[in-house]
Amino acid sequence: QVQLVESGGGLVQAGDSLRLSCAAAGRTFGSYAMGWFRQAPGKERTFVAAIGRSGTYYVDSVKGRFTISRDNAKNTVYLQMNSLKPEDTAVYYCAADRHPDVYSVSYYSSTEEYDYWGQGTQVTVSS
C-alpha cells in the first residue's frame, strides 16, 4: 500500500513557475514508477509526465516546460512547471505504478496502469 499526498498547487499568472511535490508513505517508493496526470473541469484525466528506472516521459504539450524528478531518499516526486499557460489549469494528480522498468510512454500515459493515486492539487493559471 502506498499513500500519496500532493502539494504545491496555487494561483499564478501566465509565464510563472510552480513546483508540485508528491510525498509517498511506504518503504518501497523506489520500486515504483511515478506519474503526474491532470484533469481540467469537464474533461478526462490526462497524462503529463512519468519517471521510472527506464527514464522520463512527457506529453508533447509540456516538453521543454515541465520537468519530473524524484528523490527516493525523501520518498518524493516533483513536477517543476515553467512558462505556465492558462491551458495548464487543472487538478494535478500523482500516481504510482508497480512497474518501473517499462520502456513505453504509451504504457505510462494510461491511467489504468497505475495502482495508487493521490487526492490532487489545484493549479490555476490566469492570463
Side-chain angles (χ1 to χ4, degrees):
Q1 188 79 9
V2 177
Q3 290 83 42
L4 304 173
V5 179
E6 302 96 335
S7 62
L11 172 62
V12 297
Q13 293 186 332
D16 286 351
S17 298
L18 275 177
R19 188 176 80 158
L20 304 183
S21 299
C22 174
R27 290 177 290 180
T28 59
F29 175 75
S31 65
Y32 287 85
M34 300 299 296
W36 284 99
F37 289 75
R38 62 188 178 187
Q39 188 167 17
K43 296 188 177 181
E44 293 185 349
R45 193 171 298 188
T46 60
F47 172 72
V48 177
I51 184 168
R53 286 198 284 260
S54 59
T56 57
Y57 305 88
Y58 298 92
V59 67
D60 285 347
S61 61
V62 308
K63 285 181 180 178
R65 299 190 298 124
F66 291 11
T67 303
I68 188 171
S69 62
R70 67 191 298 165
D71 185 337
N72 289 342
K74 295 183 178 180
N75 280 12
T76 301
V77 62
Y78 304 98
L79 185 67
Q80 177 66 44
M81 306 186 296
N82 299 329
S83 302
L84 281 161
K85 304 175 180 180
E87 51 263 44
D88 295 318
T89 295
V91 177
Y92 283 71
Y93 298 89
C94 73
D97 174 9
R98 294 193 188 102
H99 303 95
D101 295 312
V102 177
Y103 287 80
S104 171
V105 64
S106 61
Y107 175 89
Y108 287 123
S109 52
S110 171
T111 58
E112 297 180 355
E113 302 298 346
Y114 289 81
D115 304 289
Y116 304 102
W117 291 85
Q119 294 301 307
T121 185
Q122 177 70 49
V123 172
T124 303
V125 184
S126 64
S127 57

